[in-house]
Amino acid sequence: MKLNRRNFISASAGIAATMSSPIVFGASRPKVVVIGGGAGGATAARYIAKDSKGAIDVTLVEPTRSYYTCFFSNLYLGGFRDFDSIGHSYGKLASDFGINVVHDWAVDVDSSGKTVSLAGGGTLNYDKLILSPGIDFVDNSVPGWDLSSQNKMPHSYKAGSQTQLLNAQIENMRQGGTYCMVAPPNPYRCPPGPYERVSMVAHKLKKINPSAKILILEPKPKFSKQGLFEEGWNKHYAGMIEMIGPEMGGKGVEVRPASMEVIVDGESEKVDVCNVIPAMKAGKIAELAGVTDGNWAPTIAHTMQSRKNSDIHILGDAAAQGDMPKSGFSANSQAKVCAMAVRGELTDSKVFPAKFSNTCWSLVDTNDGIKVGASYEATDEKIAKVSGFVSKTGEDASVRKATYEESLGWYAGITSDMFG
Amino acid sequence: MYNLIMKSLILVLSISILCLNPFGFYVLASEQVNEEDGFEVSDEILAIVGDIDYGEYLSSECTTCHHAQGLDEGIPSITGWPIESFVWALHSYKSGARNHPIMEMITQRLSNEEIASLAIFFESINN
């Protein structure tokens, strides 16, 4: 049975009837608390609530009332999407699925007492805790940059006001100015993301500021879909994009936000817009919950359980799980395995073997979409890649157009899968 | 025999989808009609009766992309299909008779029973 509004109301009526009997059903329901309402957390909360049909009490803790997806935020920068089109409300998760949506920050986890403390002062008890906090930045990974400089040099790698800020800076850049990206080291959220962003910024600048330059300071010797991006940049944006690789000073860049300078191999260069994407780590709450090892939280592939605490599951970017890239698609895929495992433990529902998949679409220019994807299985050691595919250089324009259109369908599909 | 019925059925589906959505589906639809000549699914495979609960679990891998309420912008709707059409379509990807990198990757690790289970589950979703 699919839980929709009508049968949810009838399920609620059943709960109310039970509550009038001596045993208080609501109090005995096992509790799941999910921290983080993105592709991992929202999906896990929704699937547990939907498939347990009211048997599990699900609370979702997410500070933002409107969630802006990181995926497709580059398309907003390129002018292909309205900002509003990447924003989503949690209303349906509350109204149609009975999830208790708490807009607050989780500030601590007591894993022995099994409670979560909220910034607003409340405390939540859990039987199972699911952490899907996304990323935070590694302190001092780009010397000269910290959160106090994010208005001068935005990261725009958590979507929302930062994305709008970067967009405004690009649109207001002086004619012939330079947009500089300090690209992140591995591992990081959305491997093709920085390079799709370069493509989208180039697309916009070509229209409004055709003499502008793009400078990529690149710490990695190679990156996701590199051949495809470079082919597209030569084709659509010839002469506009320059990349300084790790051997030429692209690694170890310093920035001076006050004077808008970047220091590359000891040489200072003035830029007009500087998009600093620092090194990343699991969202802070994972560390506070005691489930991290280094920057990330190691997980068991079969269930997405923490290797340090079997009552805690970790999803998405924060997890050290093996071969899957840190992407919204991956987080959504892992959430379904996690939801099934959690229901199995709490309500003895059927548990099927874990399966994972991922696809990352990127837009290079109008109707020029590319993609990379793979399927994965759970082994005792990790989430292990089974097989994969990637778009080919020199593909026909009709294939690229179909790939872009497919990404629009995927966006509609995954956001409906997350938010109902 | 079944491939002939399917070709006409897919053609009808393709035309109806084209009417509904002139954008996005045209390339996929024309591939469907042209590249599956001679592709047949055996009677034994068509006779497998799937498990709807297992199909519901497996369906979560599909609904990351295929809209669960049947929207078909850029990616075709897979809800409410007749079971045999669904089984035939997935086997055409699994065998490589129809080409799409994601669909080939996903179907190549689905067993015949899993395909039957997905078919019975998605047939039950009416939007």
Side-chain angles (χ1 to χ4, degrees):
Chain A
M1 183 186 84
K2 217 175 131 188
L3 195 62
N4 57 31
R5 183 188 290 270
R6 184 177 300 166
N7 55 33
F8 174 69
I9 289 167
S10 68
S12 305
I15 291 163
T18 317
M19 284 175 75
S20 64
S21 66
I23 300 162
V24 181
F25 182 56
S28 66
R29 286 194 300 163
K31 291 182 191 302
V32 171
V33 173
V34 182
I35 298 178
T43 306
R46 181 171 164 271
Y47 271 76
I48 292 170
K50 171 173 78 74
D51 295 338
S52 72
K53 301 172 175 66
I56 296 176
D57 179 343
V58 182
T59 298
L60 175 63
V61 181
E62 162 61 43
T64 64
R65 282 165 175 76
S66 287
Y67 184 87
Y68 292 92
T69 57
C70 243
F71 43 94
F72 271 33
S73 66
N74 286 329
L75 272 60
Y76 157 71
L77 295 175
F80 291 90
R81 300 284 290 208
D82 291 339
F83 191 66
D84 286 349
S85 78
I86 61 167
H88 304 270
S89 140
Y90 292 95
K92 279 190 185 173
L93 293 187
S95 65
D96 294 9
F97 298 94
I99 296 167
N100 178 18
V101 181
V102 176
H103 292 300
D104 204 340
W105 281 96
V107 291
D108 205 3
V109 174
D110 172 0
S111 55
S112 52
K114 297 172 85 167
T115 61
V116 174
S117 303
L118 303 175
T123 302
L124 298 167
N125 298 311
Y126 66 82
D127 295 296
K128 281 281 188 181
L129 176 64
I130 299 173
L131 296 179
S132 190
I135 50 116
D136 273 320
F137 299 119
V138 175
D139 287 343
N140 209 35
S141 70
V142 179
W145 190 93
D146 62 24
L147 282 184
S148 69
S149 12
Q150 70 172 7
N151 260 35
K152 283 289 278 185
M153 293 189 169
H155 53 81
S156 309
Y157 231 65
K158 298 179 186 184
S161 56
Q162 276 277 305
T163 321
Q164 290 176 297
L165 174 65
L166 182 63
N167 189 58
Q169 291 182 353
I170 292 163
E171 290 186 348
N172 294 322
M173 190 167 83
R174 72 177 172 88
Q175 290 295 304
T178 299
Y179 161 91
C180 172
M181 172 186 281
V182 179
N186 288 322
Y188 62 96
R189 157 182 286 183
C190 190
Y195 313 99
E196 181 187 59
R197 177 171 296 174
V198 164
S199 309
M200 292 295 92
V201 172
H203 174 82
K204 177 165 279 179
L205 291 175
K206 192 175 165 183
K207 277 188 184 165
I208 64 169
N209 191 347
S211 59
K213 296 286 181 203
I214 293 177
L215 174 64
I216 308 169
L217 303 177
E218 179 55 70
K220 305 179 288 296
K222 59 181 178 147
F223 56 80
S224 171
K225 295 190 264 194
Q226 185 165 359
L228 292 160
F229 280 115
E230 289 177 347
E231 176 195 55
W233 295 345
N234 285 330
K235 181 177 172 188
H236 303 296
Y237 316 116
M240 186 182 251
I241 300 168
E242 182 193 354
M243 182 160 57
I244 298 180
E247 70 289 351
M248 302 299 284
K251 191 175 178 178
V253 171
E254 286 181 46
V255 296
R256 292 177 188 156
S259 53
M260 288 303 287
E261 285 174 279
V262 292
I263 315 296
V264 183
D265 210 13
E267 301 275 316
S268 163
E269 183 156 353
K270 283 275 270 185
V271 298
D272 297 276
V273 174
C274 193
N275 180 192
V276 176
I277 309 175
M280 297 173 202
K281 61 179 182 179
K284 181 78 177 169
I285 194 71
E287 187 186 328
L288 295 172
V291 293
T292 50
D293 181 6
N295 285 339
W296 309 99
T299 55
I300 296 164
H302 302 283
T303 57
M304 298 309 293
Q305 261 162 319
S306 163
R307 288 194 182 274
K308 299 193 160 198
N309 185 328
S310 60
D311 295 325
I312 301 179
H313 296 241
I314 299 132
L315 300 176
D317 297 347
Q321 34 69 20
D323 296 348
M324 294 188 90
K326 298 184 185 301
S327 72
F329 197 126
S330 293
N332 171 270
S333 177
Q334 293 160 14
K336 291 163 185 173
V337 168
C338 168
M340 178 183 60
V342 165
R343 286 197 304 113
E345 270 200 63
L346 295 179
T347 62
D348 288 330
S349 62
K350 255 193 210 170
V351 176
F352 300 104
K355 256 185 191 185
F356 306 90
S357 55
N358 176 64
T359 301
C360 291
W361 287 267
S362 304
L363 187 60
V364 184
D365 196 359
T366 307
N367 288 324
D368 191 356
I370 55 177
K371 63 185 171 186
V372 60
S375 61
Y376 304 85
E377 64 186 4
T379 68
D380 291 343
E381 185 202 348
K382 64 175 184 176
I383 298 181
K385 184 173 170 180
V386 177
S387 67
F389 65 86
V390 60
S391 295
K392 293 173 181 60
T393 52
E395 272 173 340
D396 193 77
S398 65
V399 173
R400 293 295 179 87
K401 183 168 184 281
T403 300
Y404 169 58
E405 285 163 352
E406 193 176 87
S407 76
L408 301 178
W410 164 74
Y411 189 86
I414 191 173
T415 51
S416 163
D417 207 33
M418 290 162 63
F419 301 109
Chain B
M1 177 62 192
Y2 190 68
N3 66 332
L4 291 176
I5 300 166
M6 275 311 305
K7 266 193 281 184
S8 48
L9 180 59
I10 289 284
L11 186 60
V12 171
L13 276 172
S14 304
I15 290 166
S16 63
I17 291 164
L18 277 172
C19 296
L20 283 170
N21 178 9
F23 311 104
F25 199 76
Y26 178 72
V27 174
L28 294 171
S30 61
E31 277 176 8
Q32 283 190 350
V33 179
N34 293 332
E35 293 187 7
E36 292 131 17
D37 286 352
F39 180 70
E40 292 187 43
V41 175
S42 73
D43 289 344
E44 291 91 75
I45 286 176
L46 290 172
I48 298 169
V49 177
D51 176 329
I52 195 165
D53 290 339
Y54 191 33
E56 182 171 14
Y57 161 66
L58 293 169
S59 75
S60 68
E61 189 169 32
C62 312
T63 54
T64 303
C65 299
H66 293 276
H67 198 275
Q69 280 81 47
L71 295 185
D72 61 356
E73 179 199 8
I75 292 181
S77 168
I78 55 171
T79 58
W81 279 47
I83 288 177
E84 290 197 339
S85 313
F86 194 100
V87 169
W88 185 87
L90 260 61
H91 278 282
S92 71
Y93 286 121
K94 185 177 163 98
S95 68
R98 194 191 321 196
N99 299 121
H100 185 277
I102 300 173
M103 290 307 299
E104 288 172 67
M105 179 182 83
I106 296 290
T107 52
Q108 275 162 15
R109 59 177 189 157
L110 289 173
S111 67
N112 296 342
E113 288 71 22
E114 287 173 329
I115 288 176
S117 298
L118 282 166
I120 196 169
F121 173 72
F122 277 113
E123 190 219 22
S124 74
I125 306 290
N126 295 305
N127 296 293

